[in-house]
Amino acid sequence: MNLKPLFEIQRKLDDHIMDEHPELKEQNNLEWKILALQVEIGECANEWRGFKKWSKNQKPRTWYERNCHTCDGKGYFVTNIYTGKKESCGYCDGTGFEEQKNPLLEEYVDCLHFILSIGLELNVQTIPGEIIQLPLVDERLDNVMIMFHQLYACASNLYWSFHYRTPAAIDYIELAQCFLKLGEMLGFTWEHIEQAYMEKNAINHQRQNEGY
């Protein structure tokens, strides 16, 4: 697990956003980035669903599929002159699905984009990665719901530090540690996280190109 390479990838996206929105270059962007992170944390919790005690469906949304529009989910075509043979759909490669997603992971890496972007604002990418990856010392953070609460608390601490004093690196390190621990609790491997981050990062670049 190494955040350092992702900081540089995030920097390129942040620079792209600044080029598309030059007014942001003349201001401190930490305030809105922290709020954006808090919103994304909520969206991640919404896909986790474990707090929805009023619902009979509290299972995390870790899989979503949409039928291929070309073969209507069959995974194959029936030839124009029916011979009893099936021709595999080239669009979905015979799977029957044109889109397969993990909504919970997608929301998690949306949070990661802002975690990294906030780190760039604070110039903490110079902190050795080993420090950010130290294990959490608070053993009370032992379930997913508590970890979501702690993430909100860490983001809030960082916000008020921004207003009343220079945010300390320790505030950010605690935020990053809690976030990485949450990913572990949700069952994500670093390989899953990194791949999903790269895929969403490419989409975010495309959105900027299209005037999103």
Side-chain angles (χ1 to χ4, degrees):
M1 186 183 298
N2 189 355
L3 288 178
K4 280 202 167 186
L6 298 188
F7 274 121
E8 292 309 309
I9 295 169
Q10 183 65 41
R11 186 192 301 279
K12 292 178 181 178
L13 176 60
D14 284 4
D15 288 346
H16 191 175
I17 292 172
M18 293 294 174
D19 289 341
E20 295 296 325
H21 303 274
E23 69 277 6
L24 297 178
K25 295 180 180 180
E26 306 301 324
Q27 65 183 51
N28 189 309
N29 296 296
L30 191 58
E31 186 173 45
W32 66 263
K33 287 184 180 182
I34 292 174
L35 179 57
L37 171 62
Q38 291 172 316
V39 171
E40 294 296 345
I41 292 171
E43 292 182 1
C44 185
N46 196 49
E47 298 297 348
W48 171 62
R49 298 184 64 80
F51 68 93
K52 299 191 176 189
K53 302 303 182 183
W54 61 88
S55 173
K56 293 183 178 179
N57 178 14
Q58 296 175 31
K59 292 182 179 180
R61 290 179 174 168
T62 57
W63 195 249
Y64 167 82
E65 295 179 326
R66 184 168 67 186
N67 283 350
C68 174
H69 71 282
T70 303
C71 67
D72 196 26
K74 296 182 178 66
Y76 61 86
F77 299 113
V78 176
T79 55
N80 291 334
I81 301 175
Y82 182 66
T83 63
K85 296 181 180 179
K86 296 176 181 178
E87 178 185 350
S88 179
C89 174
Y91 188 88
C92 67
D93 199 26
T95 64
F97 304 105
E98 66 177 76
E99 190 173 42
Q100 297 176 325
K101 292 184 176 182
N102 184 332
L104 180 59
L105 179 57
E106 286 192 352
E107 295 299 341
Y108 182 83
V109 298
D110 280 348
C111 295
L112 178 56
H113 275 81
F114 285 107
I115 293 278
L116 294 168
S117 190
I118 290 168
L120 291 170
E121 289 284 334
L122 298 173
N123 200 32
V124 298
Q125 70 273 18
T126 58
I127 297 173
E130 298 79 21
I131 296 178
I132 292 178
Q133 294 163 35
L134 285 174
L136 292 167
V137 294
D138 192 340
E139 295 181 355
R140 294 171 297 176
L141 305 176
D142 59 354
N143 68 60
V144 173
M145 193 174 304
I146 291 176
M147 189 57 70
F148 272 114
H149 281 295
Q150 184 64 16
L151 265 177
Y152 273 116
C154 289
S156 182
N157 287 341
L158 197 61
Y159 172 79
W160 291 115
S161 294
F162 162 69
H163 267 279
Y164 292 111
R165 61 180 172 85
T166 302
I170 190 63
D171 296 322
Y172 180 82
I173 290 172
E174 184 180 8
L175 175 69
Q177 286 176 323
C178 289
F179 180 72
L180 295 174
K181 183 63 177 179
L182 174 64
E184 180 183 317
M185 288 179 166
L186 295 176
F188 302 141
T189 67
W190 182 245
E191 289 73 20
H192 290 148
I193 294 169
E194 197 169 31
Q195 180 181 353
Y197 171 83
M198 296 299 292
E199 291 173 356
K200 187 56 181 287
N201 190 270
I203 291 173
N204 286 338
H205 274 289
Q206 181 180 354
R207 286 175 171 176
Q208 289 302 310
N209 290 334
E210 295 174 349
Y212 176 76

